[in-house]
Amino acid sequence: MPAPSKNNLYLGLFTLSFALILLTVWIPMDTQTGLIEKVRRQVTIGDALAPTVAGLFLIVGGLLLILTERNAPGQSTSSMSGLIFASAAIFIIAASLIVMRWTGPLAVWMVNALQGGDLEYRLLRDNAPWKYLGFLLGGTMMISGLVGLVEGQLRLRAILIAVAAVIAMIFVYDVPFDDLLLPPNGDV
Amino acid sequence: MGTLDYIWMGILSVFQGPELFSILGLPVSVTLVMIFAGFLIGIAVGATPGLAGPIAMAIALPILISVFGYTPDALLPVLGFLIGVMKGATIGGAVPAILFNTPGTPDAFMTTLDGYPMTQRGKAKKALRVAHFSSASGDTFSDIVLFVCAPFLALLVEAYLDLPEKTALLILSLSFIATVIGGSPAKGLISTGLGLLAVFIGTGEDFYPRLSMDSQTLSRGFPISTAILGVLIIGAVLKELQDLWFQKRTSGTVPRQRDEGDQRLHWADIRRLLPFIGRSAVIGTVIGALPGIGSTLAATLGYTVGRSRYAKLKRPDAPDFGKGAAEGIAATEAANSSVSGANLIPVLSLGIPGNAAAVFLILAAESIGGFNPGPSVFRFTADEVNPELVVAFGLFTAMMIANLLNWTIGGVFMRSMGVMVRIPKHILLPSVLLLTLTAIYVQETRMEAIWFTLGFGVLGYLMRTLNISPLPFVIAFILGSKLEDSARQAFAATGGDPWFLFTHPIAAAFMAASVGIILYSARRKTPTL
């Protein structure tokens, strides 16, 4: 019979460590009022009490995990390949968001550099086609990248599907509404 | 204003709301159209493996708020749409379970056990009819229980529970939810603790936002939609993509089954199924009324109880449970469908969400304003109109309309949705991910919100990988501020008594029950050592 997984034990120890740091370091150093405060002779609950209760939930959960569930059957089996997939997926999403954020301003900068104009993306962020550039490119990169990651290769079909999906989203969230801004046009 | 006046005003608020168009001179209100649209979209979403009602709610919410605005008039159309989605998705989940052995929603898993064998025997349409009839029956039953129990329970809460008792009740709810969801009390408590911690970051009464690490980004706290959508939707998408990546399964052609013989549902069939539907509807309603216990458990219990009864009564030539017995489908679908209405009992009477769909109803109500689900809704004020009570009865009316749609067109629409299963999951899920992030952005209009959502998504993914249910996290995030406010008020009202949770008998009983349920759950787990 295989030895039971130790994942619950490790998770319990990690939770307990995190909760102790929360209760002894983070809460005392990062809240201005204690558990109970006395203001003008009136006693009130301070800002530290609520996160302390959260910490107590973590302590009890961590202890129970170590004491009663450390050898429980059906524990998760973590694997390196899972970690690799998750890292790759998060990298694709984060890179796509960065592309989404900077494509529009970069395109304006390039047009200015080529044509000598003084356009500002901030002033163009509600005008087509400028307002769609970042969302279209970043969104296409996100969808096709994730599809490609699962399929093991990036195919033209995935890119075309991604473009169609992003255009459909533009028609859902932007075209019918004057007051909605697609990412990243609220920030620039 | 009497009770009947309120009920009548609630009904009128649905039928006489803002008019969208008229048919033969009869005005059709926008709320009616939204319930109808939500119901159809819900069936389509439920019938699509990889999607579920909460995803459609998440994507639709910012659009709905943009269309209807932040006015009290927006409440019924938006909540009506979400209720439509909730009910539609419940019956839609049975379609791929029966036709393709792929549950559209997790609680439809038990439906595959008898539904797919019936399809293999050429009885697909009959199986779908059984699922629809059972689902609609269970749903209607639990709605009626909701209409009767929620106001009654709310009145009891208002009459007998003061601030210390309400604080203790919130702690009891959190302890209960933490220990019963997901099968691991310890992990449930960790999930709850993390949810409470997340909601307390960047908030508080002092000038300095607590736990914000002097960061401008954290000083405003986490918007509720980023935490809920991140943990529930993005986390699920990442985990599902990983599972697909592991499976590396090729999208082979789906075997097509031909329908053979009589596909209709006869009165004799209905009479045979009704005892199974009745038992499962009661099981599902009781389980649904307890916050946090999902429809999956209801389906499993309903199926188990149905199987033991079937074993005693079955004809020798009839198929066993798990081999294509229509009673198996009926027992499962009636149980999981009857959860949805009963799940709103704790929402409307206590303000405590019990499942993901209820979470989105609260999110919508909080985003729009003017309706705070909880015991104060059911104040039957005689001298002036309580608008929240009118909205509550409007919601009940919306649920009845959705039920009516379910009984009339639901079955036909459901049977036409088999095509949705052909959309490959690994293409659908990345689109859902971008849609969700876009939905967050159009609400918050800052990239920070997207990064927060992604961060919560990673947390949700890790929780799923470690078999930690994310639902206690979400419910704790929603109830955290309410718990703190209630405790602050109770503390002030009792003159700064630090033992206010233990000096009032009902509050002390709730606290004892909180400790008791944690200890009981821990003891129950001990034999697994």
Side-chain angles (χ1 to χ4, degrees):
Chain A
M1 195 175 140
S5 165
K6 288 194 183 308
N7 275 355
N8 276 5
L9 179 64
Y10 296 144
L11 179 63
L13 289 172
F14 176 80
T15 306
L16 272 186
S17 312
F18 174 72
L20 287 175
I21 291 170
L22 172 73
L23 293 173
T24 56
V25 181
W26 191 8
I27 294 175
M29 291 185 73
D30 210 16
T31 50
Q32 297 293 313
T33 55
L35 298 177
I36 288 180
E37 283 291 299
K38 203 168 186 180
V39 183
R40 289 192 289 271
R41 284 187 291 175
Q42 203 170 9
V43 187
T44 59
I45 287 179
D47 279 355
L49 185 62
T52 302
V53 171
L56 292 177
F57 267 88
L58 293 175
I59 294 256
V60 175
L63 280 175
L64 281 183
L65 207 52
I66 293 169
L67 297 176
T68 68
E69 295 182 33
R70 70 173 180 275
N71 290 333
Q75 293 184 39
S76 61
T77 48
S78 53
S79 67
M80 187 52 77
S81 54
L83 197 66
I84 290 169
F85 172 85
S87 308
I90 291 161
F91 175 77
I92 289 170
I93 297 168
S96 307
L97 290 174
I98 291 168
V99 168
M100 194 182 282
R101 171 67 180 82
W102 293 107
T103 297
L106 190 67
V108 170
W109 179 82
M110 285 172 68
V111 168
N112 283 339
L114 289 172
Q115 298 179 352
D118 56 352
L119 297 172
E120 276 186 60
Y121 185 76
R122 198 169 53 83
L123 303 175
L124 298 169
R125 64 182 181 173
D126 206 17
N127 296 329
W130 303 101
K131 63 176 177 176
Y132 298 130
L133 291 177
F135 187 69
L136 190 63
L137 195 62
T140 303
M141 187 173 152
M142 190 184 296
I143 295 177
S144 58
L146 289 173
V147 172
L149 180 65
V150 174
E151 288 181 341
Q153 57 179 321
L154 186 58
R155 290 188 295 187
L156 181 63
R157 178 172 155 263
I159 296 171
L160 292 177
I161 287 171
V163 170
V166 175
I167 289 173
M169 284 178 219
I170 289 172
F171 274 94
V172 169
Y173 282 115
D174 185 78
V175 173
F177 307 106
D178 291 332
D179 56 339
L180 294 188
L181 286 172
L182 286 172
N185 297 327
D187 289 81
V188 288
Chain B
M1 291 285 294
T3 307
L4 287 177
D5 296 321
Y6 272 112
I7 294 172
W8 183 238
M9 280 179 75
I11 294 170
L12 289 183
S13 66
V14 171
F15 286 95
Q16 292 187 343
E19 178 186 332
L20 197 66
F21 57 85
S22 63
I23 298 173
L24 302 172
L26 283 173
V28 177
S29 79
V30 69
T31 306
L32 282 178
V33 176
M34 294 309 293
I35 297 166
F36 183 73
F39 181 69
L40 296 188
I41 289 171
I43 294 179
V45 163
T48 310
L51 293 184
I55 291 179
M57 292 173 164
I59 291 166
L61 195 52
I63 298 176
L64 296 173
I65 289 176
S66 178
V67 171
F68 293 105
Y70 294 89
T71 64
D73 285 345
L75 277 167
L76 279 177
V78 173
L79 295 176
F81 180 88
L82 299 182
I83 283 172
V85 169
M86 183 177 83
K87 288 185 175 291
T90 307
I91 63 165
V95 176
I98 289 170
L99 296 184
F100 306 105
N101 209 18
T102 310
T105 49
D107 49 346
F109 172 73
M110 306 299 281
T111 309
T112 60
L113 300 181
D114 290 285
Y116 190 61
M118 277 186 79
T119 299
Q120 287 175 311
R121 289 208 325 264
K123 298 283 182 195
K125 280 199 179 126
K126 183 153 189 164
L128 286 172
R129 285 197 168 99
V130 169
H132 172 251
F133 177 76
S134 314
S135 184
S137 306
D139 195 13
T140 308
F141 174 78
S142 81
D143 282 356
I144 291 167
V145 174
L146 164 73
F147 303 159
V148 175
C149 284
F152 184 65
L153 194 59
L155 289 174
L156 273 183
V157 168
E158 279 296 273
Y160 293 103
L161 303 191
D162 206 351
L163 287 165
E165 289 84 359
K166 283 179 183 167
T167 309
L169 180 63
L170 283 170
I171 294 172
L172 172 61
S173 305
L174 284 176
S175 308
F176 184 74
I177 288 163
T179 48
V180 298
I181 296 181
S184 161
K187 290 178 180 175
L189 288 167
I190 292 171
S191 185
T192 305
L194 290 174
L196 288 174
L197 180 62
V199 76
F200 294 143
I201 289 175
T203 55
E205 290 203 335
D206 192 69
F207 179 72
Y208 174 77
R210 69 183 157 202
L211 307 179
S212 59
M213 299 189 231
D214 272 327
S215 148
Q216 196 64 34
T217 310
L218 291 179
S219 65
R220 285 196 275 171
F222 299 115
I224 186 169
S225 53
T226 63
I228 293 175
L229 270 60
V231 169
L232 281 185
I233 311 287
I234 305 295
V237 166
L238 288 174
K239 183 69 171 63
E240 285 238 24
L241 281 173
Q242 188 201 58
D243 291 345
L244 289 171
W245 185 66
F246 274 135
Q247 291 164 8
K248 294 258 183 192
R249 64 182 182 196
T250 50
S251 50
T253 53
V254 182
R256 297 182 73 96
Q257 304 291 337
R258 285 179 181 280
D259 290 333
E260 289 171 15
D262 183 14
Q263 301 288 335
R264 284 179 298 172
L265 195 62
H266 298 283
W267 177 238
D269 296 322
I270 292 172
R271 260 195 320 203
R272 213 180 63 238
L273 296 174
L274 273 178
F276 294 90
I277 294 171
R279 275 182 178 75
S280 286
V282 172
I283 289 169
T285 303
V286 171
I287 286 177
L290 301 171
I293 308 185
S295 46
T296 309
L297 177 64
T300 312
L301 267 181
Y303 187 83
T304 310
V305 170
R307 183 171 54 193
S308 59
R309 179 185 160 84
Y310 186 74
K312 291 175 199 156
L313 303 175
K314 115 179 171 58
R315 298 189 311 269
D317 59 325
D320 288 324
F321 257 45
K323 305 279 183 197
E327 288 82 352
I329 300 174
T332 306
E333 286 297 314
N336 67 28
S337 299
S338 58
V339 169
S340 68
N343 245 316
L344 296 187
I345 293 175
V347 177
L348 289 174
S349 57
L350 307 172
I352 297 167
N355 67 355
V359 163
F360 280 96
L361 287 174
I362 286 190
L363 183 59
E366 282 200 1
S367 303
I368 296 168
F371 182 67
N372 298 302
S376 62
V377 166
F378 291 96
R379 278 183 289 107
F380 287 84
T381 48
D383 43 349
E384 59 180 21
V385 177
N386 172 8
E388 288 190 299
L389 188 53
V390 177
V391 173
F393 283 117
L395 283 182
F396 290 168
T397 311
M399 294 179 86
M400 285 319 288
I401 292 167
N403 276 338
L404 197 65
L405 290 172
N406 202 349
W407 281 109
T408 49
I409 59 164
V412 178
F413 195 71
M414 176 194 178
R415 288 191 287 278
S416 68
M417 280 291 113
V419 69
M420 298 302 284
V421 82
R422 306 222 167 96
I423 302 174
K425 256 189 184 179
H426 72 283
I427 289 174
L428 190 66
L429 290 173
S431 306
V432 167
L433 189 136
L434 182 60
L435 258 175
T436 309
L437 294 179
T438 310
I440 295 276
Y441 191 88
V442 297
Q443 266 182 305
E444 301 289 334
T445 54
R446 55 187 176 126
M447 287 300 276
E448 268 172 13
I450 289 193
W451 291 111
F452 285 154
T453 312
L454 189 58
F456 281 117
V458 172
L459 179 66
Y461 161 80
L462 289 174
M463 289 167 91
R464 285 173 172 82
T465 306
L466 295 166
N467 290 342
I468 300 175
S469 169
L471 203 51
F473 176 96
V474 172
I475 294 172
F477 194 94
I478 289 173
L479 294 183
S481 311
K482 197 182 271 190
L483 175 65
E484 190 179 20
D485 290 345
S486 169
R488 281 183 195 277
Q489 289 171 17
F491 189 70
T494 54
D497 174 12
W499 302 104
F500 68 88
L501 289 173
F502 304 98
T503 49
H504 294 70
I506 298 177
F510 286 159
M511 292 304 293
S514 307
V515 176
I517 193 163
I518 292 172
L519 290 178
Y520 173 75
S521 308
R523 272 175 61 88
R524 198 165 47 89
K525 289 282 154 188
T526 308
T528 58
L529 271 168

